[in-house]
Amino acid sequence: MTRMISTKCFKGFPCTHRQWRASSHCKYVHGYSREFYFEFESKELTKEQWVVDFGGLKDVKQWLDSMFDHTFLVSEDDPERELFEELDRKGIIQMRILPNVGMEGTAKFVYKKVNEMILEKTQQRAWVSKIE
């Protein structure tokens, strides 16, 4: 059976985080603009001959915006989490809690959520086969 793959990149998600376990300067709050590259895969195309309808990904973009646009990412086990929660309550940061805020942890977190969205949207016909 033939596998069909299409790709989509979402850019422009400026956010901050810190790697509290790091012994390097990565332990300090820092940030940059993130982007997410997805490969969508299917064994069967839509009637339009698409793997995934990119026009139907507005909810994916909206979720990425809510998680990563001008937000502060905190690892769920960060020992300073309470301090960051206070800053969030005061409206100083827009905190989002992830299992692991590193690039690999973020990719795993985003993969899980977006793959669930794609599976539901396509009735299990398509899925996320890769994320960078």
Side-chain angles (χ1 to χ4, degrees):
M1 193 168 276
T2 303
R3 296 177 341 148
M4 304 300 294
I5 296 173
S6 63
T7 64
K8 178 75 173 165
C9 187
F10 294 90
K11 297 181 180 185
F13 301 96
C15 60
T16 58
H17 71 281
R18 74 181 197 123
Q19 288 284 25
W20 73 267
R21 285 191 168 96
S23 56
S24 68
H25 64 276
C26 291
K27 67 183 175 186
Y28 301 115
V29 172
H30 61 286
Y32 41 86
S33 190
R34 297 181 187 209
E35 62 184 55
F36 300 95
Y37 169 85
F38 295 94
E39 287 187 2
F40 302 105
E41 186 173 337
S42 180
K43 294 179 182 173
E44 177 185 335
L45 299 178
T46 65
K47 64 181 167 83
E48 297 87 1
Q49 301 300 295
W50 299 329
V51 173
V52 172
D53 176 5
F54 290 165
L57 297 179
K58 289 174 182 56
D59 57 340
V60 171
K61 172 73 165 69
Q62 185 176 43
W63 181 79
L64 290 170
D65 281 336
S66 73
M67 289 301 300
F68 302 105
D69 186 11
H70 290 81
T71 59
F72 182 80
L73 309 179
V74 176
S75 288
E76 61 189 10
D77 64 347
D78 191 312
E80 298 298 334
R81 180 173 158 180
E82 191 174 306
L83 171 63
F84 298 132
E85 288 173 341
E86 177 65 19
L87 293 172
D88 185 62
R89 279 192 296 277
K90 289 184 173 190
I92 296 169
I93 63 173
Q94 293 185 92
M95 184 178 69
R96 304 295 184 263
I97 300 170
L98 278 67
N100 171 358
V101 298
M103 293 301 99
E104 298 83 355
T106 300
K108 184 176 180 180
F109 177 78
V110 170
Y111 166 81
K112 182 179 180 199
K113 176 64 175 177
V114 174
N115 190 51
E116 289 172 0
M117 295 170 84
I118 297 300
L119 286 168
E120 181 180 335
K121 182 183 300 294
T122 66
Q123 291 81 49
Q124 314 290 312
R125 185 191 52 74
W127 57 93
V128 176
S129 57
K130 181 178 180 179
I131 182 172
E132 292 179 7

